[in-house]
Amino acid sequence: TQLLEQSPQFLSIQEGENLTVYCNSSSVFSSLQWYRQEPGEGPVLLVTVVTGGEVKKLKRLTFQFGDARKDSSLHITAAQPGDTGLYLCAGGANNNDMRFGAGTRLTVKP
Amino acid sequence: EAGVAQSPRYKIIEKRQSVAFWCNPISGHATLYWYQQILGQGPKLLIQFQNNGVVDDSQLPKDRFSAERLKGVDSTLKIQPAKLEDSAVYLCASSPLRSGELFFGEGSRLTVL
């Protein structure tokens, strides 16, 4: 069973600050995904990374996949209240069997 | 494009009763997943279908949970009898074949009293 550990579990920051959240595992993944989930809704896919060392940018969000494909980070620049939510990473082998971490709950205060 | 549809959105039952959740995936998506998300935790995979065949049900408590995907489209997840610890949001997701990118429904929130 692949175990994904996310840190920190909770993060509360002021609008305009930068932050990084992490997703770590002892397993190698063929792909790793990041999702954001808001209360009362299902998770929404933000990005998929597949190549070790890969960096993807989505506006103010930067995603990095570790060289060994075991870990990933999500960096948010100049956080806004609209970034508030639960950030989940999910990893799988051969694009199957996607398993999720417990998530980082981010609150951005105006 | 219509998203993943789930019903009911909310359900409250007494322990030992039964409950069923329904999911209609995005049209053309071959793979369908059921996840259980307990408050404060990430989604836990219960079962994965590809078309109407089961790919992975290793974490499905088969003594009380069952799922089927007739004709490779809609799916139903049933719990019988329910326990207090089954209180959770049950999320259905679908993805195109071999894509691995999951599209989730809004979930069905179950409360077992």
Side-chain angles (χ1 to χ4, degrees):
Chain A
T1 300
Q2 302 158 342
L3 181 63
L4 284 154
E5 295 187 355
Q6 292 191 243
S7 61
Q9 188 176 359
F10 299 97
L11 186 57
S12 180
I13 62 171
Q14 292 295 134
E15 182 176 2
E17 293 183 355
N18 302 331
L19 67 114
T20 302
V21 298
Y22 301 92
C23 175
N24 295 292
S25 176
S26 57
S27 300
V28 175
F29 296 107
S30 63
S31 67
L32 193 140
Q33 299 170 346
W34 285 92
Y35 292 79
R36 182 171 70 212
Q37 185 177 24
E38 298 188 28
E41 299 181 8
V44 175
L45 179 66
L46 297 174
V47 77
T48 300
V49 287
V50 297
T51 305
E54 182 176 3
V55 177
K56 281 192 174 179
K57 292 191 175 183
L58 183 65
K59 297 183 180 178
R60 295 177 292 101
L61 278 60
T62 302
F63 305 86
Q64 185 162 7
F65 201 13
D67 291 340
R69 304 205 322 270
K70 293 182 178 181
D71 56 86
S72 181
S73 64
L74 159 58
H75 181 81
I76 301 179
T77 303
Q80 298 177 0
D83 296 326
T84 293
L86 179 66
Y87 287 82
L88 295 158
C89 67
N94 302 316
N95 287 330
N96 271 325
D97 197 22
M98 300 304 290
R99 306 291 176 121
F100 284 79
T104 292
R105 190 165 298 280
L106 172 66
T107 302
V108 182
K109 300 175 184 177
Chain B
E1 179 181 80
V4 175
Q6 290 189 244
S7 67
R9 284 295 313 274
Y10 304 93
K11 188 74 176 180
I12 300 174
I13 62 174
E14 305 259 336
K15 60 183 180 183
R16 290 188 289 275
Q17 287 185 326
S18 62
V19 63
F21 302 112
W22 173 82
C23 173
N24 180 238
I26 292 173
S27 178
H29 282 194
T31 310
L32 184 147
Y33 308 78
W34 283 103
Y35 284 86
Q36 179 194 57
Q37 187 173 25
I38 293 173
L39 186 65
Q41 299 182 17
K44 170 188 168 186
L45 180 66
L46 293 176
I47 189 166
Q48 177 184 345
F49 293 95
Q50 187 165 300
N51 297 311
N52 59 350
V54 175
V55 174
D56 182 357
D57 64 356
S58 58
Q59 298 192 98
L60 186 72
K62 297 179 185 65
D63 57 335
R64 298 183 301 106
F65 286 64
S66 64
E68 60 183 6
R69 189 182 185 196
L70 299 176
K71 300 180 182 179
V73 182
D74 292 7
S75 178
T76 303
L77 175 70
K78 295 180 181 177
I79 307 174
Q80 181 179 7
K83 293 186 175 181
L84 296 176
E85 58 261 36
D86 298 332
S87 293
V89 176
Y90 290 85
L91 293 163
C92 178
S94 68
S95 75
L97 189 63
R98 287 187 287 279
S99 158
E101 298 187 352
L102 307 182
F103 296 81
F104 283 87
E106 293 181 311
S108 295
R109 181 177 296 277
L110 173 65
T111 302
V112 182
L113 304 176

